[in-house]
Amino acid sequence: MGKIKLLGKTPAQLKEIAQSCGLPSYTGAQIAQWMYKKKVRSFEEMTNLSKAARETLSQTYEVGATSPEEVFTSADGTRKYLFPVRCPVNPSTHPVILSEVEESVVEAVMIPDRDRATLCVSSQAGCKMGCHFCMTGRQGFHGNLSVADILSQFITIDESDALTNAVFMGMGEPLDNFDSVMAAIEVLTADWGFAWSPKRITLSSIGVLPRLKEFLDGCKCHLAISLHNPFPDERESMMPVQKAFPLAKVLELLRQYDFSGQRRVSFEYTMFAGFNDDKRHADALVRLLRGIPCRVNLIRFHKIPDFPYGTSPAPVMEMFRDRLEASGITCTIRASRGEDIFAACGLLAGKHGENIFYDN
């Protein structure tokens, strides 16, 4: 059995750990400052702790930050980091259990844009949602990331101190790993943690109910909903979760909240040639979102193997955008970044997808 990771724990939890080790209670606050303000990765770097205290802690605990094992750099400056993770095995998906943990790889993507450096964060190894156009969903689900796994993506990359924003839009459905994601966001936004404004963070979801309500009630971060088609039957044909979490129910919930102030809601809409990119879909989308202060982000589809649809041409995407704008909905065409290193939207697959994807 490995050591217990401290990364992700609150000062109150660290205080209890310090006391259980026979150390002064203030040691907990010292550890929190070293981990979250100074981003150290070992007890040896915590120089205001006595050598005896560091040795005592190291017998049972470790900081728990994991470094990336590979990094790829795009021609446009985007960088993709591959992190090794060990996820607890789920007996329901592993009839024959050979180990208590499964070793996987997850990806985090750093996107530079003038004075911004945005980290696209993963929350799961694989994904249960099964969206047909997403490489992460097509590899299946391999496990939830721990709080330490999530925070490692912020702490151990080269651009850690330069990050300005974060989007939980990497591998996995954040609300399906609710407890770890919320604990990570607490560290990111707490005064004792990274002290980021919630306005610097956006969480993307297909609309997992009732976790979505818990998120809206307990968190001030921005929200992005993966929509992709305004017609329920067409949406379900590509997003099986439409059956479990109907878009109509998601929008019914969103209408109960105020998005006219500091917290924003946006809708992600990947465009597939000949499937969801005509005037009929644009007009239906306008009707669907009427009354919700929001932004629609149009995303260029990145072709993947064994998928029937291609990418909507630029003029079609511009027509779609202009039609929404004319109806009063703010709409942008998101720039595609990192496609040459398979870091763009929908392409994150980790090493589970390597033979399927990278070799084609």
Side-chain angles (χ1 to χ4, degrees):
M1 185 174 178
K3 295 181 180 181
I4 299 171
K5 296 182 178 183
L6 297 185
L7 187 62
K9 296 190 181 299
T10 66
Q13 293 170 323
L14 293 169
K15 175 182 175 181
E16 291 181 2
I17 288 171
Q19 290 175 325
S20 73
C21 292
L23 302 174
S25 59
Y26 62 76
T27 305
Q30 292 176 313
I31 295 172
Q33 184 171 35
W34 281 109
M35 290 195 303
Y36 304 133
K37 300 298 185 184
K38 299 182 181 179
K39 302 178 183 177
V40 304
R41 306 182 199 180
S42 71
F43 292 126
E44 285 304 309
E45 298 172 86
M46 301 181 184
T47 52
N48 62 350
L49 273 63
S50 69
K51 183 177 180 181
R54 284 177 270 163
E55 289 178 350
T56 299
L57 287 166
S58 64
Q59 290 175 13
T60 307
Y61 301 97
E62 62 179 343
V63 172
T66 302
S67 297
E69 63 181 23
E70 289 185 87
V71 59
F72 302 92
T73 303
S74 167
D76 64 24
T78 299
R79 304 191 82 196
K80 181 174 72 173
Y81 291 87
L82 271 61
F83 287 85
V85 295
R86 292 166 58 85
C87 300
V89 167
N90 182 350
S92 66
T93 58
H94 293 72
V96 180
I97 298 178
L98 302 178
S99 171
E100 293 183 354
V101 296
E102 178 175 348
E103 296 185 357
S104 300
V105 172
V106 299
E107 303 173 359
V109 179
M110 194 289 300
I111 307 165
D113 185 14
R114 296 186 293 276
D115 59 345
R116 293 165 64 98
T118 300
L119 184 67
C120 182
V121 189
S122 290
S123 56
Q124 295 179 311
C127 185
K128 297 177 188 175
M129 302 301 119
C131 298
H132 298 172
F133 51 89
C134 174
M135 286 303 299
T136 304
R138 292 173 68 170
Q139 71 168 258
F141 178 68
H142 299 278
N144 285 324
L145 301 193
S146 67
V147 188
D149 290 331
I150 296 171
L151 292 176
S152 290
Q153 297 171 62
F154 289 86
I155 288 174
T156 65
I157 65 171
D158 295 338
E159 300 83 7
S160 178
D161 292 333
L163 294 175
T164 62
N165 298 83
V167 291
F168 281 80
M169 295 182 181
M171 299 174 70
E173 163 57 58
L175 296 186
D176 191 44
N177 188 14
F178 186 82
D179 291 341
S180 291
V181 168
M182 289 297 100
I185 289 176
E186 181 181 10
V187 173
L188 293 173
T189 58
D191 290 339
W192 49 261
F194 284 35
W196 281 22
S197 165
K199 293 186 292 183
R200 297 170 63 179
I201 302 169
T202 300
L203 181 142
S204 176
S205 174
I206 54 87
V208 176
L209 303 168
R211 291 300 199 182
L212 180 57
K213 185 178 190 311
E214 292 184 60
F215 169 78
L216 291 169
D217 288 339
C219 185
K220 296 181 180 178
C221 296
H222 300 312
L223 173 67
I225 295 292
S226 295
L227 197 156
H228 309 303
N229 202 302
F231 298 110
D233 56 338
E234 293 182 12
R235 188 171 190 257
E236 186 177 335
S237 72
M238 283 196 178
M239 301 175 67
V241 294
Q242 166 67 20
K243 189 171 184 178
F245 307 117
L247 183 59
K249 292 288 187 181
V250 173
L251 295 177
E252 180 182 335
L253 175 64
L254 294 182
R255 292 181 190 278
Q256 300 173 25
Y257 294 84
D258 180 14
F259 294 104
S260 61
Q262 292 190 339
R263 181 167 63 178
R264 299 191 306 268
V265 63
S266 58
F267 294 91
E268 310 296 298
Y269 196 96
T270 302
M271 300 196 69
F272 309 100
F275 179 72
N276 68 345
D277 61 351
D278 58 19
K279 294 178 181 178
R280 181 176 69 96
H281 288 85
D283 294 343
L285 189 57
V286 169
R287 293 192 298 270
L288 194 68
L289 301 181
R290 185 166 288 128
I292 301 177
C294 65
R295 173 187 298 271
V296 172
N297 293 315
L298 302 182
I299 302 169
R300 186 170 70 85
F301 173 60
H302 303 96
K303 185 67 177 173
I304 60 178
D306 303 319
F307 188 77
Y309 298 101
T311 304
S312 296
V316 173
M317 294 186 71
E318 291 165 3
M319 175 280 297
F320 201 97
R321 176 201 61 197
D322 294 345
R323 201 166 183 87
L324 266 61
E325 288 273 0
S327 298
I329 294 179
T330 301
C331 183
T332 59
I333 298 175
R334 181 183 292 169
S336 179
R337 301 292 301 273
E339 187 174 1
D340 57 331
I341 57 169
F342 308 108
C345 187
L347 299 187
L348 300 184
K351 290 193 173 179
H352 286 289
E354 203 167 49
N355 293 334
I356 298 173
F357 193 66
Y358 294 115
D359 294 340
N360 278 277

